[in-house]
């Protein structure tokens, strides 16, 4: 490693030789090699992050060039990470660059993040951010969130020292189409450069223990009036997921299901409801392992065939392991029961597991 | 009462902020009251299932009380990168 290269940042007393060593030992994964990913990678690479992993399965398009200034017209049609990897290696031959030519998905996410200390979100999809949140909580890795809308940007550091996460801030996955993306809205070339640079800054702060990390705070940047605001938010363990869900969960959100009732609300309400019916939609072997005494087992896949058995005059509650399947069950049944009032229990049986076992 | 609008809420309302006159704000006791009031005025907001609300730059829950002098922010997730 060339110490001379980093002389001007080592001179900073609060950073120093120790900061440079910490950067050199760090393993950072950048998810996305587009508008945010390019400035994040360029600065982390220039400043001496030891290992830089990059995940992206996309190719370079002409419409990317105004906001991804490392790419040139002759790069169009080529793999983003291949080109980015070559240029980064030229810029800093000491960096260990690890290229992952794929998209982050439920099937590969845990393996992809596994060997890294820090993840930077440079994706352009909300579902991928929920997935990142889940895998980073499971793997206990902090992640740096950046996202854009028109002339605005958002920035935060999630799961830092077990601090608040993306799901604490936005518990509900929005419906597809609810939030327009850059392709629909457009984006000014410089904006991802600003937010991506702020993400790289937070990455260095996390790695080197510098200053005050933007944890438990959401920064809202507004380019048109050059204004930044911070909103404080708290950890909400009831919203955090401890498992990677299936693709449908991340992509569809809980369309039309509203907010489910909590397990404690159910236990309270079922005392006053007349003849409540608790429908456990897990698989038979999960049901056998443990279930609430009043529950009846209707595995999710059988639900629609057995719909007549569910229709009775009273409250029907749907429960599963974590709330995901009960929400899907709600979607299947909504409006199809004549006289029953339908609810789904968010959180699910896993909240009871320690007491039962 | 001042309401700041971010992301898609700004696009729906067509402005970065709204002033709610004291006469109307007096009837709005909680975050939920305010959200319901805004959804009536701007039906596009009613389609949003995921939106954080901050009161005086702190994340707030639906039942949290609000006052005429508060600055409220509507913060939906944003998608781009």
């Amino acid at each position: 490693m060339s110490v001379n290269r980093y002389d001007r940042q080592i001179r900073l007393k609060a950073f120093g030789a120790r900061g440079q060593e910490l950067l050199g030992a760090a393993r950072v994964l950048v998810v996305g090699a587009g508008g945010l990913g390019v400035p994040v990678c360029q600065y982390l690479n220039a400043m001496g992050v030891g290992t830089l992993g990059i995940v992206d399965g996309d190719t370079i398009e002409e419409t990317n060039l105004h906001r991804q200034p490392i790419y040139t017209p002759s790069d169009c049609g080529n793999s983003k990470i291949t080109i980015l990897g070559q240029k980064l290696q030229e810029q800093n031959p000491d960096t260990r660059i690890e290229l992952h030519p794929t998209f982050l998905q439920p099937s590969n996410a845990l393996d992809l993040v596994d060997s890294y200390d820090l993840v930077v979100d440079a994706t352009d999809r909300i579902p991928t951010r929920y997935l990142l949140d889940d895998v980073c909580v499971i793997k206990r890795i902090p992640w740096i969130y950046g996202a854009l809308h028109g002339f605005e940007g958002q920035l935060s550091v999630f799961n830092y020292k077990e601090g608040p996460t993306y799901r604490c801030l936005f518990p509900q996955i929005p419906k597809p189409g609810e939030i327009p993306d850059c392709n629909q809205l457009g984006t000014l070339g410089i904006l991802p450069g600003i937010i991506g640079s702020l993400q790289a800054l937070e990455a260095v702060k996390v790695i080197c223990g510098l200053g005050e990390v933007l944890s438990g705070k959401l920064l809202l940047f507004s380019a048109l009036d050059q204004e930044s605001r911070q909103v404080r938010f708290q950890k909400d363990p009831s919203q955090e997921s401890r498992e990677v869900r299936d693709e449908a969960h991340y992509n569809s959100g809980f369309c039309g299901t509203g907010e489910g009732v909590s397990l404690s609300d159910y236990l309270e309400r079922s005392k006053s409801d007349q003849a409540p019916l608790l429908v456990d939609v897990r698989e038979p072997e999960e049901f056998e392992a443990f279930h609430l005494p009043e529950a009846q087992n209707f595995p999710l896949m059988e639900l629609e065939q057995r719909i007549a058995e569910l229709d009775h005059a009273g409250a029907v509650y749907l429960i599963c392991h974590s709330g995901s399947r009960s929400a899907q069950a709600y979607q299947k049944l909504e409006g199809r029961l004549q006289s029953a009032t339908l609810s789904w229990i968010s959180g699910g049986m896993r909240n009871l597991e320690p007491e039962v076992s | 009462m001042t309401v700041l609008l971010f992301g898609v809420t700004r696009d729906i309302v067509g402005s970065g902020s709204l002033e709610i006159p004291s006469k109307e704000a007096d009837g709005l006791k909680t975050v939920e009251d305010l959200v319901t009031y805004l959804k009536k005025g701007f039906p596009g907001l009613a389609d949003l299932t995921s939106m954080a609300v901050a009161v005086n730059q702190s994340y707030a829950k639906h039942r949290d009380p609000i006052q005429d002098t508060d600055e409220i922010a509507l913060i939906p997730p944003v998608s781009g990168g």
Side-chain angles (χ1 to χ4, degrees):
Chain A
M1 180 179 83
S2 160
V3 173
N4 203 36
R5 175 183 180 115
Y6 305 113
D7 177 73
R8 295 300 186 271
Q9 66 191 15
I10 291 174
R11 278 168 192 257
L12 284 165
K13 286 202 178 81
F15 183 81
R18 178 71 186 140
Q20 197 62 53
E21 262 174 54
L22 290 167
L23 271 192
R27 297 180 49 83
V28 179
L29 183 70
V30 180
V31 182
L36 294 169
V38 165
V40 168
C41 289
Q42 280 192 289
Y43 273 107
L44 293 182
N45 182 55
M47 293 169 78
V49 162
T51 303
L52 199 53
I54 313 167
V55 186
D56 203 321
D58 227 343
T59 54
I60 300 160
E61 290 174 28
E62 195 180 8
T63 56
N64 299 151
L65 301 182
H66 81 295
R67 66 183 188 284
Q68 299 170 27
I70 200 167
Y71 303 126
T72 64
S74 63
D75 295 330
C76 290
N78 289 309
S79 146
K80 279 189 174 175
I81 60 167
T82 305
I83 300 291
L84 183 57
Q86 285 165 3
K87 296 189 182 191
L88 293 173
Q89 201 69 84
E90 257 175 71
Q91 286 172 344
N92 192 343
D94 291 332
T95 309
R96 186 184 157 87
I97 303 212
E98 297 176 347
L99 302 179
H100 307 281
T102 181
F103 293 103
L104 195 85
Q105 290 157 358
S107 56
N108 64 14
L110 284 168
D111 287 342
L112 279 171
V113 307
D114 196 36
S115 67
Y116 294 94
D117 314 317
L118 177 68
V119 173
V120 182
D121 153 42
T123 67
D124 56 1
R125 295 180 71 242
I126 290 175
T128 309
R129 295 192 171 96
Y130 281 92
L131 172 60
L132 258 188
D133 203 44
D134 294 348
V135 294
C136 287
V137 166
I138 292 166
K139 296 284 184 182
R140 299 186 163 189
I141 301 169
W143 67 284
I144 298 174
Y145 162 68
L148 313 168
H149 182 100
F151 295 98
E152 291 172 26
Q154 295 186 357
L155 180 80
S156 190
V157 180
F158 294 126
N159 202 39
Y160 175 67
K161 297 186 173 172
E162 303 196 352
T165 71
Y166 189 56
R167 283 189 190 264
C168 301
L169 190 58
F170 300 117
Q172 191 79 20
I173 299 182
K175 286 182 291 187
E178 189 175 312
I179 308 294
D181 60 25
C182 279
N183 295 337
Q184 296 165 268
L185 275 177
T187 186
L188 199 67
I190 181 66
L191 196 71
I194 294 167
I195 300 301
S197 299
L198 291 173
Q199 288 181 281
L201 171 63
E202 287 305 309
V204 172
K205 286 163 63 184
V206 168
I207 294 164
C208 302
L210 267 181
E212 200 180 321
V213 170
L214 195 70
S215 166
K217 294 173 195 163
L218 175 71
L219 184 140
L220 300 159
F221 174 75
S222 174
L224 290 182
D225 38 21
Q226 196 65 278
E227 219 168 16
S228 294
R229 279 171 184 277
Q230 289 187 16
V231 168
R232 293 178 300 277
F233 62 100
Q234 307 279 321
K235 190 175 172 72
D236 183 353
S238 71
Q239 300 299 347
E240 283 176 11
S241 175
R242 296 275 168 190
E243 62 177 335
V244 173
R245 320 281 187 87
D246 60 15
E247 194 74 39
H249 166 82
Y250 296 105
N251 284 332
S252 64
F254 295 157
C255 309
T257 57
E259 286 180 12
V261 301
S262 69
L263 190 57
S264 52
D265 279 350
Y266 159 74
L267 295 170
E268 197 52 43
R269 282 194 212 175
S270 60
K271 287 179 205 157
S272 52
D273 283 333
Q274 285 199 334
L277 176 62
L278 180 66
V279 176
D280 191 325
V281 299
R282 295 174 304 157
E283 293 304 298
E285 53 275 20
E286 294 173 277
F287 183 80
E288 271 165 38
F290 69 96
H291 57 84
L292 287 170
E294 69 270 32
Q296 294 185 35
N297 190 209
F298 288 73
L300 185 61
M301 299 315 289
E302 293 175 29
L303 207 55
E304 280 166 301
Q305 289 121 52
R306 298 175 60 190
I307 202 160
E309 298 174 54
L310 293 171
D311 212 351
H312 81 131
V316 171
Y317 293 91
L318 302 163
I319 194 165
C320 66
H321 176 63
S322 67
S324 176
R325 279 174 284 175
S326 60
Q328 289 177 53
Y330 183 93
Q331 282 181 272
K332 285 177 193 275
L333 296 178
E334 195 187 16
R336 295 177 62 185
L337 301 180
Q338 301 298 320
S339 41
T341 56
L342 191 64
S343 309
W344 64 282
I345 297 169
S346 60
M349 290 296 290
R350 66 176 173 179
N351 289 342
L352 266 188
E353 246 167 292
E355 286 171 43
V356 173
S357 58
Chain B
M1 186 182 292
T2 305
V3 182
L4 302 174
L5 302 149
F6 292 93
V8 73
T9 67
R10 184 189 185 119
D11 304 339
I12 291 167
V13 173
S15 159
S17 70
L18 280 174
E19 274 306 323
I20 300 180
S22 293
K23 221 171 88 185
E24 296 189 36
D26 279 349
L28 307 172
K29 303 293 182 202
T30 64
V31 168
E32 192 166 22
D33 292 345
L34 173 69
V35 170
T36 307
Y37 168 83
L38 291 172
K39 284 179 175 177
K40 273 188 199 143
F42 302 96
L45 295 176
D47 295 334
L48 300 180
T49 56
S50 184
M51 180 174 76
V53 179
V55 177
N56 301 325
Q57 307 203 359
S58 272
Y59 185 92
K61 300 211 167 186
H62 272 171
R63 285 176 196 162
D64 287 352
I66 53 172
Q67 297 175 17
D68 187 17
T69 49
D70 288 338
E71 180 197 80
I72 318 280
L74 304 190
I75 308 163
V78 299
S79 166

